[in-house]
Amino acid sequence: MEQHNFTSTVTEFVLLGLTQSPELLRCLFVVFFIVYVTTWLGNVTTVITNRQLHTPMYFLLANLAFLDVSDSSVTAPKLLLGLLFQPTTISFKECILQMFFFHFIAGAVIVVFVLMAADRYVAIYKPLRYLTIMNQGVCMGLVAGAWLGGLTHSAVQIGLILQLPFCGPNILDNFYCDVPQVIKLACTDTYLVELLMVSNSGMLVIVMFLILLVSYTVILRKIKKHITDGKRKALSTSGTQITVVCLHFIPSIFIYARPFRKFPMDKLVSVIFTVIIPMMNPMIYTLRNAEMKTAIRRLISQMLSSGRIL
């Protein structure tokens, strides 16, 4: 496909999507439609189930589920549309909004992961004061802080992009708008902006990931040496959170903690990061957590009982 050259400001971008093969497009549409529906069902079930588990950890988990659904909904609909209609276009304003909400939610997710690690630290090191320290007011304030952190991160990203002129190529070799691809289409030298973006996103992700790894190492050492009652449950909960953290952060580091150059694996990593992982999170938490399994069984039993009554 030839690139369109504009003598004036770019008003829309063309998204090339995942592939140009008609047969493969139909297969991928079915697959990703099932994935997207599963993401909604899994995360909504997690939120509903957590209403029966009145603890700080499950309050944070319910917020993570809501963020996962929101994050997936920013990119998946455009992905599905692109698999049905080729090529797909997106207006400049829509592109900016998509990037804003994507990084807003993703930034909040990162902070929620840190909050979940802090929650486990308090639960392990201060078990008798856990519910006092992590009371409802504190939890709501921490979650509000996570959203504010995501908003700040995204505002910085979009503020830098809006200063760039876009007057030439408008082809995005991706299925959604994201910072690394959009910056490359600017009609000016973007070296300094890319450096600032990598500092804002890449370094932030790496630092948060290292903090989380150190935090969970300290928590696991405490569990191993000092906890006897409930050790298996504590290990399972922490192990689940470590798994989810790695699934989120490793693709993020690959995409954002490097110069904005095109690599063959970029699209695959983007699909995993934006579509697959939000679907996997509730599955991982459910399969590895006895309380979640019990609550879901109770919820299903209540639904079946209601059905019999009706």
Side-chain angles (χ1 to χ4, degrees):
M1 182 179 292
E2 295 182 357
Q3 291 189 354
H4 301 284
N5 291 320
F6 289 81
T7 56
S8 58
T9 303
V10 169
T11 58
E12 67 176 18
F13 294 106
V14 178
L15 300 173
L16 295 184
L18 295 178
T19 180
Q20 304 299 313
S21 168
E23 295 79 12
L24 193 55
L25 284 172
R26 287 191 287 268
C27 293
L28 289 175
F29 175 81
V30 174
V31 171
F32 287 121
F33 180 76
I34 293 172
V35 168
Y36 185 52
V37 172
T38 304
T39 300
W40 265 92
L41 292 175
N43 283 288
V44 169
T45 301
T46 299
V47 173
I48 294 172
T49 302
N50 283 331
R51 294 172 62 186
Q52 304 176 33
L53 300 170
H54 303 287
T55 63
M57 184 184 73
Y58 292 107
F59 174 76
L60 295 174
L61 184 57
N63 277 274
L64 179 62
F66 175 76
L67 289 168
D68 278 336
V69 168
S70 302
D71 207 15
S72 180
S73 296
V74 171
T75 56
K78 206 66 180 178
L79 168 62
L80 294 172
L81 187 64
L83 294 172
L84 287 178
F85 306 101
Q86 284 284 330
T88 303
T89 61
I90 183 171
S91 71
F92 183 83
K93 290 181 179 179
E94 287 178 312
C95 184
I96 293 296
L97 284 174
Q98 188 177 54
M99 287 189 291
F100 172 79
F101 284 110
F102 180 74
H103 285 275
F104 174 24
I105 297 166
V109 167
I110 289 176
V111 182
V112 168
F113 279 132
V114 175
L115 298 180
M116 293 175 75
D119 171 82
R120 288 299 84 204
Y121 181 88
V122 175
I124 298 301
Y125 278 82
K126 305 285 185 180
L128 298 179
R129 299 183 55 205
Y130 172 60
L131 294 178
T132 303
I133 296 173
M134 298 295 292
N135 59 64
Q136 186 178 13
V138 170
C139 289
M140 293 183 69
L142 291 173
V143 168
W147 284 85
L148 182 59
L151 178 62
T152 303
H153 163 71
S154 184
V156 171
Q157 299 272 87
I158 300 304
L160 290 171
I161 289 178
L162 289 176
Q163 296 180 39
L164 299 174
F166 293 92
C167 54
N170 70 331
I171 305 294
L172 286 173
D173 189 15
N174 207 344
F175 58 92
Y176 70 106
C177 287
D178 200 8
V179 171
Q181 291 82 31
V182 172
I183 280 185
K184 286 300 183 183
L185 298 182
C187 306
T188 186
D189 180 23
T190 59
Y191 175 79
L192 180 59
V193 176
E194 287 185 43
L195 187 63
L196 292 172
M197 290 290 193
V198 171
S199 300
N200 180 265
S201 293
M203 291 303 297
L204 175 66
V205 171
I206 291 174
V207 169
M208 290 294 191
F209 187 48
L210 291 176
I211 290 173
L212 287 168
L213 289 180
V214 172
S215 299
Y216 281 113
T217 300
V218 172
I219 290 169
L220 291 174
R221 284 173 61 88
K222 176 71 173 181
I223 294 172
K224 183 178 179 181
K225 289 185 177 181
H226 301 287
I227 294 181
T228 54
D229 297 333
K231 176 178 284 192
R232 185 175 179 180
K233 177 184 173 183
L235 285 171
S236 177
T237 302
S238 298
T240 300
Q241 292 185 6
I242 293 170
T243 302
V244 174
V245 163
C246 290
L247 285 173
H248 270 267
F249 277 83
I250 291 174
S252 299
I253 291 171
F254 177 82
I255 294 173
Y256 299 110
R258 60 176 171 84
F260 293 158
R261 296 172 185 168
K262 186 177 178 181
F263 286 86
M265 292 287 290
D266 283 353
K267 285 187 181 180
L268 176 60
V269 175
S270 293
V271 168
I272 293 171
F273 179 54
T274 61
V275 181
I276 304 299
I277 290 176
M279 177 193 69
M280 293 177 62
N281 282 351
M283 295 181 181
I284 294 170
Y285 278 108
T286 302
L287 291 174
R288 298 197 60 176
N289 194 293
E291 286 180 311
M292 285 287 289
K293 291 178 186 177
T294 302
I296 288 175
R297 290 194 197 101
R298 191 182 303 120
L299 179 64
I300 293 173
S301 298
Q302 290 175 356
M303 291 172 66
L304 291 175
S305 298
S306 299
R308 293 193 192 100
I309 292 172
L310 293 174

